Amino acid sequence: MPPNITPQATQRPVLRRFNLVRCVAICCLALIVLVGLVVLITWLAIRPRKLDYTLENGSLQNFNLNNNRHLNATFDFVLVAYNPNSRTSVYYDFMESEVSYKDQTLAFGSTDPFFQPHRDTTRVESRLVATNLALSPSTYKDLRREKSSGEIKVDVHFRSRVRFKVGLWKSKHRTLKITCPSATIHLSWSKHFENVPCDAEL
Ligand SMILES: *[C@@H]1O[C@H](CO)[C@@H](O)[C@H](O)[C@H]1NC(C)=O
Ligand SMILES: *[C@@H]1O[C@H](CO)[C@@H](O)[C@H](O)[C@H]1NC(C)=O
């Protein structure tokens, strides 16, 4: 006959160990929930909201196309940057701009670095110059046709290196790409520029 071991005698230490494990597990869980809550509350408080960009003015001067398919032009754009965040401010450490027409880049420009505080709207003016730029035959043809029609449709791109600041903390540099598609530039001064909402990609 096997020795009669009472089940209670073996179960008691196991039970005690089990209770300890359960207690540690509950404590760990409580801690995780607490840390999660703190992170969530901090996140909600400083929650970064999308920066917003609109192209608010565009004009073209010294526009000249010669018969050798070369272009001279000076573009002026006003990009309005809105930072809706109540705690996050933005350093624009570098910004360049580019205007393109049907896949051909017409002109480049750059803008001075600037700092944008929270809940702020900044107007960024940029001038892009094309000097004796050689055009492809099809671009030349289309551009000449649009010139005689009095308005030119271009895409405007901005590229910037930005850093975010929350309190004393500053983020690393990130590349921000802003695209303002199908901006119509009127060659006659009397026509009003229609605002273009831009897409931003971080
Ligand atoms: C747009 O730019 C042109 C040329 O710089 C300027 O004459 C015009 O007043 C501007 N319009 C607005 C609404 O800012
Ligand atoms: C552009 O301007 C330069 C001088 O700045 C001139 O030599 C050239 O012929 C011009 N090109 C066109 C297409 O007008």
Side-chain angles (χ1 to χ4, degrees), residues 62-73 130-133:
N62 313 319
F63 185 33
N64 201 4
L65 279 164
N66 70 10
N67 294 332
N68 297 330
R69 297 204 307 261
H70 282 68
L71 168 77
N72 278 355
T131 309
N132 233 17
L133 177 82

Side-chain angles (χ1 to χ4, degrees), residues 24-36:
V24 168
I26 287 172
C27 284
C28 279
L29 205 68
L31 203 69
I32 288 170
V33 169
L34 198 73
V35 168

Side-chain angles (χ1 to χ4, degrees), residues 106-162:
L106 297 184
F108 292 101
S110 65
T111 308
D112 287 338
F114 64 98
F115 173 72
Q116 183 169 43
H118 48 82
R119 287 263 163 88
D120 171 80
T121 302
T122 301
R123 287 168 64 83
V124 184
E125 295 181 9
S126 68
R127 168 164 284 193
L128 302 85
V129 182
T131 309
N132 233 17
L133 177 82
L135 300 172
S136 72
S138 68
T139 303
Y140 171 74
K141 220 176 79 199
D142 293 342
L143 213 49
R144 218 173 57 162
R145 202 193 49 234
E146 288 206 10
K147 187 184 179 182
S148 55
S149 82
E151 54 181 53
I152 294 173
K153 226 173 217 159
V154 294
D155 297 322
V156 190
H157 306 270
F158 297 86
R159 202 172 68 88
S160 181
R161 294 287 282 165
V162 297

